[in-house]
Structures are given as C-alpha cells and as structure tokens.
Amino acid sequence: MKLLTPTEAAAAAPSPAGSVLTLAPDFELWAAHLAQTLDLSAVQRIDLQFPKFTDGRAYSQAVLLRRRCGYCGLLRATGEVLIDQLLQLQRCGFDEALLRADQDPAHGQRLLQQFGSFYQGDALQPQPHFARAALQQAQPSADYQAKLARSRALLQQAASEHQPLVQASSLGAEDVVIRHLIDTLSLPIPLFVLDTGALHPETLALLARTEARAAQPDAQPVRVYKPQPGVAEAFVAREGPDAMRRSVALRQACCAIRKVEPLRRALHGQRAWITGLRREQSAQRAEVPAIDRSDLDPARADRPSAGLIQINPLADWSWGEVWHHIALHGLDYNPLHDRFYPSIGCAPCTRAVSVGEDLRAGRWWWEQDSAKECGLHQRSHP
C-alpha cells in the first residue's frame, strides 16, 4: 500500500478531469450512486473519506466497490486516516492512504511489512491465508516428476507383491492424492476410513462424496469402520465429554476406542496397508521410509498393524507438492484445509494452526510434551 502525506498529495500533478471520483461517506448518497449505472471504466482513482477514526463506513464502500461493482482502479483513503487503520484498509481493498498530517508514513510502512496479512479472506484475496500460502507453495519442485514416478511405481509394486492390501484414509490432502494415483493406475486397492463418531461435519461431507464416487462401476470400494457399539458412549458417560484434556492417558484411551480398535478390524486379514505419512509432517515422522517393515518385528505384536508392511508413497513429498498435485488435477478435498487445518482428526482434538507452526501442532494442542500421535502410526526408532 502506498502511503501519502498531505504535502505529497498537494504537490502531485493534478489528475485529468473525470479520472478521480470522490464519494462521500453518507450512505444515502452512496446508495444513490449504486442505484445508477455508473461507468467506472474511465475512473482511475476513487477517494473514500474517513470523517473520523471511529467512522468506518468507507471500509464497507471499498468492499462494495471491489466485489459488487468490480472496480479495479485505485482506491485512496482520505480524511482522518491513522496508521492504526492501514492493515484493515489494505484488507478492504484500498491501494493508497492519505495519512493525517501527524502520522509517520515510514512507521506505517514498517508496520505493514511486519504484519502484512490477514488469516481470513478479504476484498483482494477471497481465499484465506492458509489456502493462499498453500497455493503459493503449490509449485512443482525440480524433482516433482521423479517423486511422482517413484510413488506410482511403489503403488504398482505394492499392488503386485503385497496383496491383499488396503489404503487407510483420514480424507486429508495426502490421502486424496494417493487415492487419485491409485485410481488413475486402476489398481485393485480398496480404501477404508475410520469414522470415530467425533469427526467434523466437513469431513463427514467429504466421506459421503467419496462413497458416492466409489459407488460408480469399476470403482474400488470404500469401507467405513466405527467404534464398537456403545463403547465410546460409555467412555463419555463415565469420564465426561472433555476427558481427553484431563490427561494424556485418558486421551489415549479415547483414541484407543475410536481409532485403534477400529483400525485393528480394518487391517484384519491384510498383508500391507498404505498411508499418507510424510517426513515433513512432524519430528516424529522425520524418518518415515517409503516401505516400513518395522511391524513385522514380533516385539510389536501388540500393534494394530502387527505383521503388516506399511507403504508410504508420499514419504518424501513436500506440502507444496501435495497441493500442486491437488490443484493440477482439480481434486476434491476437505475445506477445513482452507481454514488453517493441515492435519485433520476428531473435531474436539483438532484446531487450526498459525503460520510457522508444525503441521501437526493443531492436534491435541493442550499437550506440551507428548508425541502428537494417536497410536495408529507410532514407530520405534533404532
């Protein structure tokens, strides 16, 4: 955003007649303008006035000009404009601000550089910040094609050598990519989802869409596994709905009921399973191999995946490469990703993350020193 002082504005060359439109903050006059068929194509700049700091009508005018009128020229804020307003001005679509005489433009620019974005969508950027960041990162890396080829080859190898096998899906971005690779390769690999009884409505809606696609001819089936009838309800009745926040032990007990036991049933009779684990996701997953045989160890017989080979076709993919693939193929994904949820689990145990946080920081965020795992993917390290 360009910041002007009254002296700079007065010294500027006069604008051609008709190229600048000044609109009063009075909404009756503003409504009259909107009621008219205004030709804004020749208007280079529109000045919107802030009569005082507490009068924010010009914010609304700016948004209406951008969204309803489709105005693409310059918007300048005038009047009692303070540097405290700059980020909101920018968010509402202003390009310039004519600051009050006692305001320091250099200080305002420093603030804008330090705090330059809103998490929510705005007049200029309808997508929320997390989605914009993902799309900005969603560029193919130099070795993206090589990674894609390795992932496809690994899935083909798994389908050939490790039948029966199944894909485990939480319906996250990684799982969506893996499902697309399996479908495009026409591999006989079904999918299962754990419906914990505490999923977000957005996740359940995506599950319904996924099941509908699986109902098409020649599609691989989708199996849904839920907790044993009455067990989760009995746990809540005994320990309370927020038991997981009282201790790590209670949280793990809840995960055991809602996730680990259903996973054991989902994997029964399989030789291998496919997951969306990536090394970039967290420190606990930094050494995830493409093929993990650690559960073949008899010492891990208590694991729900005991005796199975785990296939991680996206182990070396970056978050940006996942989103590049989703954008490239227009894949359906959980809209919670657009609201700063990179890792999505049960609704009570998942929050949005801040920029710079670990991708799994939103899982069980109240726990300070525990591994951010529910028992499905804990690995032993040599």
Side-chain angles (χ1 to χ4, degrees):
M1 176 182 288
K2 184 177 180 180
L3 306 183
L4 304 171
T5 65
T7 302
E8 291 171 333
S15 302
S19 66
V20 176
L21 177 64
T22 300
L23 295 179
D26 189 296
F27 261 89
E28 291 186 3
L29 295 175
W30 174 242
H33 276 294
L34 283 182
Q36 300 172 17
T37 304
L38 294 177
D39 182 8
L40 300 176
S41 60
V43 178
Q44 297 177 8
R45 191 184 83 223
I46 297 179
D47 290 353
L48 300 177
Q49 185 182 14
F50 287 82
K52 55 184 177 181
F53 178 72
T54 56
D55 188 333
R57 288 176 290 177
Y59 291 131
S60 300
Q61 291 176 328
V63 172
L64 287 171
L65 281 166
R66 293 298 191 197
R67 292 185 177 176
R68 184 179 299 180
C69 302
Y71 180 66
C72 298
L74 289 176
L75 283 183
R76 176 186 288 183
T78 65
E80 293 292 304
V81 180
L82 311 181
I83 59 173
D84 308 67
Q85 299 170 272
L86 295 181
L87 193 55
Q88 183 67 6
L89 290 173
Q90 184 172 269
R91 185 187 181 199
C92 290
F94 283 96
D95 306 285
E96 297 180 351
L98 177 56
L99 296 175
R100 205 170 68 182
D102 61 345
Q103 301 293 290
D104 180 5
H107 181 48
Q109 288 291 0
R110 286 194 297 271
L111 291 177
L112 281 177
Q113 289 172 5
Q114 186 175 3
F115 304 101
S117 180
F118 267 77
Y119 279 97
Q120 298 90 347
D122 55 39
L124 298 180
Q125 296 282 3
Q127 288 183 307
H129 179 84
F130 193 82
R132 298 200 304 271
L135 290 176
Q136 289 166 3
Q137 297 172 15
Q139 301 296 324
S141 62
D143 57 350
Y144 165 74
Q145 289 297 334
K147 290 181 180 180
L148 176 62
R150 288 197 296 270
S151 298
R152 289 166 60 91
L154 181 59
L155 287 168
Q156 290 173 313
Q157 176 189 349
S160 173
E161 299 178 4
H162 301 299
Q163 290 287 355
L165 80 164
V166 67
Q167 180 196 357
S169 175
S170 66
L171 302 173
E174 293 89 349
D175 302 314
V176 166
V177 169
I178 293 172
R179 194 70 239 163
H180 177 255
L181 296 179
I182 290 172
D183 289 343
T184 55
L185 291 169
S186 300
L187 299 177
I189 303 175
L191 174 147
F192 75 82
V193 176
L194 304 181
D195 181 354
T196 66
L199 298 179
H200 295 84
E202 294 85 349
T203 304
L204 292 173
L206 178 57
L207 173 57
R209 297 196 298 272
T210 303
E211 289 181 298
R213 287 191 292 270
Q216 300 300 314
D218 301 323
Q220 291 295 313
V222 174
R223 302 185 180 104
V224 179
Y225 291 84
K226 299 181 179 183
Q228 294 284 6
V231 177
E233 293 80 359
F235 176 83
V236 172
R238 182 175 66 253
E239 303 292 349
D242 297 323
M244 72 287 293
R245 293 194 172 95
R246 298 210 313 270
S247 72
V248 174
L250 282 173
R251 191 269 290 174
Q252 291 174 340
C254 186
C255 289
I257 292 169
R258 296 181 184 275
K259 292 185 175 183
V260 178
E261 190 280 329
L263 176 67
R264 199 180 299 274
R265 284 185 278 124
L267 295 181
H268 180 71
Q270 303 295 325
R271 289 186 59 198
W273 62 313
I274 296 168
T275 81
L277 298 190
R278 294 185 301 109
R279 296 167 192 150
E280 185 190 61
Q281 288 169 333
S282 68
Q284 288 76 27
R285 299 182 177 185
E287 299 177 12
V288 166
I291 302 177
D292 187 347
R293 293 182 170 86
S294 61
D295 280 341
L296 298 179
D297 186 343
R300 293 169 63 83
D302 61 329
R303 301 275 298 132
S305 52
L308 275 66
I309 294 173
Q310 186 179 86
I311 309 296
N312 305 306
L314 304 186
D316 62 349
W317 283 44
S318 70
W319 186 237
E321 287 164 338
V322 169
W323 283 99
H324 168 70
H325 193 90
I326 289 174
L328 182 65
H329 298 283
L331 305 183
D332 187 14
Y333 63 89
N334 194 324
L336 287 173
H337 286 309
D338 290 340
R339 289 157 49 190
F340 332 114
Y341 288 74
S343 178
I344 304 169
C346 293
C349 300
T350 309
R351 66 159 172 81
V353 303
S354 299
V355 175
E357 280 193 299
D358 187 289
L359 292 176
R360 287 181 63 79
R363 306 293 292 276
W364 311 291
W365 66 93
W366 60 87
E367 297 179 6
Q368 299 303 313
D369 300 318
S370 66
K372 296 304 179 81
E373 299 289 352
C374 59
L376 304 186
H377 300 299
Q378 289 175 338
R379 300 183 65 243
S380 58
H381 298 286

